[in-house]
Every structure is written in C-alpha cells, then in structure tokens.
Amino acid sequence: MALVSPDEESLVVAKANRLEIYARDENGIALSYTRSIYGKVTMLERLQFAQSPTEHLFVGTDRFMYFTLSWDNESQQFRTEKAYVDQADKTSRDSQTQDRCYVDPTRQYMALQLYDGIITLLPLIGKGKKKGPSEALSLGEPVPVRIKEFFVRSSCFLYPRDNSDVAPQLAILYEDNHQKVCLSIKSLDHSLGGTGDPGSATLNDITARDDLELGASHVIPVPGPFYGLLILTEMTITYIDNMTKEITNKPLGESVIFVAWASIDAQRWLLADDYGRLFLMMLVYGDGGEKSIIVDMIGETSRASVLVYLGDGLLFVGSHQGDSQVIRIHEGATTIVQKLDNIAPILDFTIMDMGNRSGEAQSNEYSSGQARIVTGSGAFQDGSLRSIRSGVGMEEQGILGELDHILDLFSLRSQDSKAKDDVLVASFMGETRVFQFSADGEVDEQEEFLGMSLSEGSLWLCNITGSRLLQVTSSAVKILDLNSGITTTEWSAKDVDGITVASANEKYLVVSTGRSEAITFNLDKDLDIIAKRSFSQQGQISCIHVPTVCPGTCVVGLWQTASVAILDINSLETLQEVVMSHDAVNIPRSVVLTQLIANEAPTLLVAMANGEVVTFSVNPNSFDLSSRKATILGTQEVIFKTLPRDDQTSNVFAICEHSSLIYGSEGRILYAAITAEDASCVCSFDCEAYPGAIAVATPKDLRIALVDTERTTHVQTLPLHATVRRVAYSPKSKAFGIGTIHRELKKGYEMVQSHFKLADEVMFKELDGHTLRNDELVESCIRADLRDGSDELVERFVVGTAYMDLNGQDVVRGRIMVFAVTAERRLSLVSETPTMGACRALEVINGNIVAALVKTVVIYSLNSPKLDKLATYRTSTAPIALAVCGSQIAVADIMKSVSVVTYNPPTHPGGSHSLVETARHFQTAWATAVAHVDEHTWLESDAEGNLMVLKQNVGGVTADDQRRLEIVSEIRLGEMVNRIRKVDVESSASAVVKPRAFMGTVDGSVYLFALIADSKQDLLMRLQAAIAARVQSPGNVPFNTYRAFKNSVREAEEPFRFVDGELVEKFLDCPAITQDGICKDLGLEKAADVEDMRAMVEGLRRIH
C-alpha cells in the first residue's frame, strides 16, 4: 500500500502489538519503521480517501476495536485519522474462526466479522459536496447486520460487472448445524440514516448451495473478464460464474489443505498449503471458449499465514510457524530472495547462559543482555531450535594465531597515502610485534618495521601528520619517518624514571612519568615540551586521554584523590575536576572524552576500579560537567577503547568480564552487551581486506572481527524440520535434550513420528536420537539431578509422552523415560515406566521426579531400571504445568488455576511419602504456565493472555484464609504464554527491580518479569499513570483498557499493581517539556528530579 509516499509501495506487517513498515530494496524488503499500538492486531486493510495523497491503514484489535491511521513523514509517526471505535458486545458470541475485514471492489463498504451471526458494515461515505481536506471521504458509523450463517469459514465481496448498478454482493462459505459446508451469496441493501443515525442494512439471499466438499476452506472473488468466484477445497477447485451460474471444476488429484492465497492479476493467483507448498493457479479460456483452471506446484516455502504479491515477480510469504520469506517467481519455479527471522510460536525454551557458564538460571545483575535463551520455535517442517541473544554481535573474520598475554593493540598506516589501515601492532610485556596485511588479507609478521623499537612493549602508537609515526615506550618517545624509516626525533625518559601512561592525538602527546609528573609534547615541533606539572600531592596519574573533541584539553585520572581532571593541554592547569569516589581503593582506571551523540555535548566516560562506569556531559566552552550517570558493568576494572563511526561520532568498547558497547542513539547513551567473550584489549582496524573491522585480543589469541554499531537481537538456528515440543539444557553435557514431532505427507497420508534428540550446544548439531513408538508424542522433557538408588545425584534427561491405547477403550496413555548421556555423548535409556495418562509436565524435587498426569500429580523415585511411585495428589481436572520451590509444588490446572501442594518425605524409616495441598487459587482460570517468583508468591499465565501474581495469605485469620492464593497483581499481556522460566539474579540492595522470570509466548515474544523494590512501587505505578495520560498511542486507545485483565468470567477496568515496562521506557522518547510535565504530575519539580527519573528509566531499559 502507498502508506509512506504516494509514489512508493510499502508492506505493512502486524506482529502481536507491533506494526512494521517495509520498503522495497535491491535485496527484497527492508524494515523502515516499527511502531507499537495498544492492542494485538487481528485485522489490517488499506483505504484510499479522496483528499489524501497516501492510503490510510485500517487496524482492528483483539479487544474488538478499530481505528484508521495515516503516516506523518515529518514526525515519522502514525497519525490517527479516526480514533478507536469499540465494537465489543458482551451479548454476542466471539467468532469461532478468525476475525476478518474486507472492502467491496467499488470501495463503498467495508465489512467486519467479529461475532458469529453478525456482519458489521462500515459505509465509506463523503461529508458533502465542498472540496478541501475537511471534506474527504471517511468511514461511516458501524451498522450491524444479522445473518443466519454462524460458523463462517471464508467470505468476500464479489466484483460487479462493468457499468452494473447491481447492489454489492457478498459470498459466505460456512458450515451449518448439520456439519454440511454451504455457500450463500447475498445482496447488500443499505440506507443511510440522518444525523446521529448510522442507518440500516440487510443482506438478502440470492444463491445458496449445500453440496460443497467438507474440506472447502476459501472463497476467492474473480474480477473481469470472468466475474465470479473460486472455491478452494481439499480435492477440487471450483469456479462459479456469477451471472450464468456455470460451474467449472478442477480435480487436484491428491488432498491439499489450502491456507492462504494472493492475486497476481485478474486471471492468476498464488496458493499456499499447510505443508509449505506453493501453487500457481490460472483461470483461462480454452480453444472452444470454455473456461478451465490450471494448477501447478511451483515451489516450497515456509508454511504461509498470509501471502502478499509485491509485483515484479516477488511474493511475500508471511509465516507464523516459520521464517517469513520473500520469494521470486520464475517460469515454473521459485527462488528464496530473503528470509526474515521469526521465532514464533515459542513452545518451550531454556535459559542456557546468563553471562557466564556456571549453569542453568544463574546470573548477576551485570550480565543483563548476555542472556542466551534457546527456544523451541516453529511447527512441523518449519520447526527449529533457536539460540537468541540480545546484544552487539561480533562476527569473527579470522585468527592470526595463538598470541597470549597481549597488553594492547594499535592500528597503523604504513604509508601516509593509504586510506586504510594495513598494519596491526600487538604490545606485550617485553616486546612489540608487527603484522602487515596485504589488500587480499595475507598477513606477514615484520621482524623490523620503520625503525620502531620492538624489544620492549609499546604504550602508544599512532600515525601523525607529515608522514610520521609516533611510538611511546616506557623508556622513550620516538617520531619516525614513514618514507625512510629513520628516527627523526627521540626523547629519553631515563631522567624521569620512565613513562607509565601515554595518550596522543595528531598534534599533542601527554605522558605520565614515574615521578608523578605530566609532560605535554608538541608533535608539530619535534617533541618540544610545552608544559610540565607535578602531581605528587594527588598521587600517580592512573590514566590519560587526549581527545580529538574539545581541542586543547586532556583528561587525567588520579590515584590519591580518586578524581578526574580536565586540563589545559598547553599549561596542564586544571579546568575542571570532580572527585569520583571517597574509597581509596576505588580509583579511575580509564577515561575517554568523545562525541557519542551527534549534535550534542561531548561525553566524558570514567571507568572505576570496581567495574562502575560514570558518564558526564561536558560543556565544550566552560568544561562544566553535568548529567552524571553511573552504570555497573562488572566487578572488575573496565578499559575503554574508542571505535570511530561514519557520522563523526564514536562508540566506546568497554572491556571487562562482561564487555559492552557504549553508543549513542536517539539522543541517549546506551549500553549493550557484546558477544566478545574473554576480550582483553581491542582496537579499530579498518583495513582493505576487512573494512570496518576491529582487532580483538584474548588471553590465548588475536583475531579480526566485524562488530555491530548498536544492539540487535541475534538468532542462531538449528533447523530440525519438526516441531520442537520441549527443550532442556545440560551444562554438564554441554548439550540440549529436544523432544520433536515430525510430520510428513506420504501418498496422501499424514505420517507423524516423535523423537527425543541430543544436540551440541556450540556447534548446534544433532548428536544422537531416540525414536518413540508410532503415534506416541513427546509431552514433556527436563534435565534433572536424580538419586538413582543412592544418596548421590546423577544427571539425567527425563521425557514424558502420550499415546492412544488402541487395544483398550481408546484412552490416552503415556510413558516416562529416563535417559543418561554417555561419555561418547550418546543417549542411553536407563528406565521407562508406563503411566495411566499423558505425562503433560515434569519437575524434580529432592532428587525425585514429579510427573503431572491426567487428574493426578505423582512423585517417582528412580531405581534403575524402574521408577517407584512414592506419593500422589488428585487435581481438579488436568495439570498442565508444574513449578517447584523447596518442598512446595505449584500445579497449574487447565481449568482451575493454581494449587500448591507440599511434599513431605518420611520422618522415620519405613514411613510414607505424602503430598498435601496447602494453598489454592479458587477462581476459574485456564492456566498455561506457572513459576515461583518470591516467597509464597507465584506467577501464573492463562490461555486468554493474562498474567496473575498469586500470593499465599499466610497471615490470614482462619485456616481457610491461610490456604488462599490471592491475586496481588494482574495485567493483560495480550499474548498466550507457553512457558515461564525462573531466573535467579543477584541484585544489589539499591536495584529498582529484581528480575525473576522469562516468559515465551505463542506470538514469538520473550518477556522479562521482575519484582519492583518496595520503595519504588508507588513511584513506578504513578509514573505509568502519568505517561499513559500524556502519551497517546495510535488510534488513541486508552492504556488502561489495553492492559486491563480480561477473561471469559470477568473484565477489569485497569491493570492492578502491574507496571508495563515498555510504557515506562517511553519516558525516554518524550520531548524534554513532556518529561518535565510528567515529573511535575508526580510532584517532582526540580531539574535534578527529572535527571534522576531519566537515569532510573535508562537503568530499567538496560535490564533487557
């Protein structure tokens, strides 16, 4: 649609509550904009109004609201043309199929299908005869029309014949009460009402058929010259002429389940089926004038949810179950031009890494963004294992060799005429090594290079003006001529007890000596000393930086006073000084003054010995320091290296145990974890063979890599071509246990087979597999430390299954299987036990297995090769998920919410084990997942997209009160959560929030759940309310309506004691005047209060 520009077509894609706008480029499509709205998008349609040069976007949400948007190129935001209209009707039954919207070909009406038996008609009307922007066409008021067809499979407006005054006609494909598939064609009779009256409409039957195949799924309107409709069924494609009622059938030869279609032109369509096959369908005239249908399979794609023909032979395949694709259509064939990663639906996931390798669910607050989450994503042939890490990606280009204990790296140009670096220098404790790169990437280590001193380590190396090279070692400063390799100037540091720290730009060099003295050299005048200053009272200088911004200054960090000073480089007099810490041990270890944000004041970054990074905004005229912000990156000292960007700004690589990239974006300084494990030093190395690269030294080697300029989400894929139903991770075996369901079509029959597989964590490849019985499905899988007949714990994978017992009364049975991983990394089945029902969930408690069966929770002990039943608990209906904390087990019931049972081991030899219910949530909820998040507190998700925090009322007056799980927080997430995984994070006492769990949803989202510190709860909830009141969403949908709890039993008016982090983070996107207004609404009047609020919200953003 022409949304952004009247001359440019854009593709609009809806993902949950986000709208993504793509533009065509040479590689397919490129993401131009992404915006969130208050609601899960269920419908999109394009509308063209008379006075608008661009098309408008019609958006419908899952809360039965709709609104129209246009694009404002000046603000780069959506503009609401028609505010939301609420079509919610509690007396009507929600549509049993998907919500639909479509516009009739004459562009007079739009129809919505939200409820069974009702079509909502929206007239496209004018507002008078006058011309001008205010008189443009618009959507009229909704008019509900009753129809007798309830279970509608597909519907569409039909094309009218040229110059026809016939009323618009609507074709409805539906299933009647006798499960017969029927077709009804109706004519629309609509009359406009007066002021305030939406008018009335009826749909009158014209044609009806009840002899269609049971597999009929879609009706497609056919424009001229054929005029009529196509009906897609599993075995036949049928064309019906709308005038003559002539029928043309095309048998398909085998069963095909069509799921999506797109029109190429008036006679050609693209069809997609449930198995990812793509068909080209043509409606043509035969030699005798008869109509015929031609259908050819032209390729395979991801299983399509929607098809959009982009023109020029390009097709967008939007897939919910796999990666979306851009396909180029050739003569009878297709080529995949582009893939767009999609991790939906997330059926299960595990937290493999939280910034360290210590095991499952282990972390600290400094490794935020380093979390590696591995998901079971997609379905059937599109199923895969996805490794997801949010951070700055680093792609390795090559390894120079095993070079250990590198202290620093420098990049040089061997000739002044070269535009790119071609020399990489590594400094060691007692030597300097030089590596020269050719244009094609060949590397040659130089034993001698331009007269450089290679027998000692280098403190600083850089090219300077006049085809010269500057080298600083602990004993001397040298300037060398690039053309002759002759040392033109040298200054010895013998008389000042050596050089300890150095930094330079193209004009000045500043060094610190062993006598606590700073010296400034003029590089344009052959190392003339222009200033000296003793810092004996302040102690030794710990770090120096000579910036390219703020010319005529340098920055030093001081040991004794733990302060940072900006000095005049010509006199070394202090221009500005700030004490960083009153702790004698916590001193500045690295400083950088650079331009992080374009068109803003320069930023001073100070790295402290305790792993803290402090930033200041520097006034380039007065050198005043403001906007102090502190961020903890690690527990050890941080070292800075600047990485230049193309826009005259720089990024800063912060090297520590959890390295980060510090960069500016949208007027803010952002920190992003970088996938550079064990980096000890880095430098920019923009060479001809590796443009834009960096050099990275680790304790073991030296490598060349490309690094992103800002944070993105990195997805690594292991295609399994099967549904990954369950995932478990073993840190000891460094492998994943994966339960899969494979589906394929053989001679028209669907064959399903389940496996349990072992996959390597690093190479992401399959190591071994175990095939389950025919028609047996994987239901659950965990990694567990079990007591196998002894007090010692052994690591095992436990798998629960389900199958239909065909020998009995067609009841569901199951198995529990226990696997060991051998030294050869193979699976060994050590135990299996049949169960009386499907094993839907598994957990481990006290070295024993907890299994959720139909209406029963059972505890088993492992005594290879058998499992012994220890205790049972009878549930309300069917347990769907389990969570264990200590001796407590939370049981999520598919209909009856959550109950908590306590496991009591025997207190004396020969005693019995028991499970006793100690708490219950007595409301109805269709639970999907549960996790323990705090003492006596559990997080529950339901099938209708809600989250509830349940807390046991242990302080209740009566025993019944004490057994109650009460709702202490609730919110509507809008997406169904399939899995909640608890995380244990060591948060500081001053932390605003404490991360407690990750959640994976059907729509492919991964959410972080955190508990708010008691002291910040009121502030954040009031901040949320203030932002919601001032920040309008597209369509002007109220925030409280969007996030209010809603299920089939009750509906709240607003979220209860829950804060939406995405909304709170919008505070940073607001203009300064809006931020001031929000803070004033909270009673925060001072400028420092606004700055503190901004710092707090930035800290919240860095958590994820």
Side-chain angles (χ1 to χ4, degrees), residues 320-544:
H320 176 70
Q321 297 183 3
D323 292 335
S324 295
Q325 299 169 329
V326 177
I327 304 292
R328 182 170 297 281
I329 302 171
H330 307 285
E331 187 71 29
T334 60
T335 302
I336 297 176
V337 175
Q338 184 180 10
K339 282 188 177 182
L340 291 82
D341 285 333
N342 169 42
I343 62 172
I346 298 175
L347 302 181
D348 196 7
F349 72 93
T350 184
I351 305 166
M352 175 187 165
D353 191 2
M354 285 286 288
N356 55 42
R357 310 290 293 177
S358 58
E360 267 188 315
Q362 299 297 316
S363 176
N364 56 60
E365 65 177 326
Y366 318 125
S367 58
S368 300
Q370 286 282 10
R372 180 181 175 187
I373 296 175
V374 179
T375 67
S377 298
F380 300 120
Q381 70 268 19
D382 298 315
S384 62
L385 202 63
R386 305 285 180 116
S387 172
I388 304 163
R389 188 191 289 269
S390 178
V392 176
M394 195 172 74
E395 182 181 351
E396 184 179 301
Q397 301 296 300
I399 298 179
L400 267 68
E402 295 183 359
L403 303 172
D404 54 1
H405 301 102
I406 296 176
L407 299 181
D408 211 342
L409 293 171
F410 306 93
S411 59
L412 302 172
R413 287 171 281 115
S414 61
Q415 297 177 16
D416 207 36
S417 59
K418 288 185 176 289
K420 298 278 189 178
D421 301 327
D422 64 339
V423 176
L424 181 63
V425 181
S427 175
F428 298 82
M429 181 66 71
E431 65 174 337
T432 298
R433 297 174 66 175
V434 178
F435 303 90
Q436 189 159 11
F437 285 68
S438 65
D440 58 0
E442 292 292 327
V443 185
D444 184 21
E445 183 173 0
Q446 305 293 317
E447 294 184 2
E448 295 182 355
F449 187 73
L450 297 177
M452 284 174 50
S453 175
L454 303 183
S455 60
E456 56 183 329
S458 296
L459 298 178
W460 192 266
L461 278 164
C462 67
N463 291 92
I464 57 177
T465 56
S467 296
R468 297 177 299 162
L469 177 67
L470 172 68
Q471 182 186 21
V472 182
T473 66
S474 60
S475 62
V477 179
K478 287 184 177 183
I479 294 180
L480 306 110
D481 184 75
L482 288 178
N483 298 317
S484 63
I486 297 174
T487 300
T488 59
T489 310
E490 184 172 359
W491 179 84
S492 175
K494 188 179 298 184
D495 296 336
V496 294
D497 296 341
I499 300 172
T500 57
V501 188
S503 179
N505 58 21
E506 288 193 345
K507 189 172 183 180
Y508 296 104
L509 165 67
V510 179
V511 301
S512 171
T513 71
R515 295 182 178 179
S516 302
E517 185 179 42
I519 303 174
T520 301
F521 296 89
N522 189 329
L523 300 179
D524 289 336
K525 297 184 178 180
D526 296 328
L527 295 181
D528 279 356
I529 296 176
I530 60 175
K532 286 186 179 181
R533 178 180 173 182
S534 174
F535 287 87
S536 56
Q537 293 183 351
Q538 294 93 333
Q540 184 65 268
I541 294 175
S542 61
C543 49
I544 299 175

Side-chain angles (χ1 to χ4, degrees), residues 624-653:
D624 289 339
L625 303 179
S626 60
S627 304
R628 175 172 177 156
K629 298 172 187 175
T631 303
I632 297 177
L633 289 187
T635 57
Q636 303 171 11
E637 65 182 56
V638 179
I639 302 298
F640 293 139
K641 277 299 185 79
T642 57
L643 303 178
R645 298 181 67 169
D646 294 336
D647 58 355
Q648 306 303 312
T649 64
S650 295
N651 291 345
V652 176
F653 198 118

Side-chain angles (χ1 to χ4, degrees), residues 148-151 174-182 210:
K148 65 179 185 296
E149 296 81 9
F150 275 76
F151 192 87
Y174 68 99
E175 185 178 323
D176 67 9
N177 295 331
H178 303 288
Q179 296 185 335
K180 295 176 65 176
V181 179
C182 309
D210 60 0

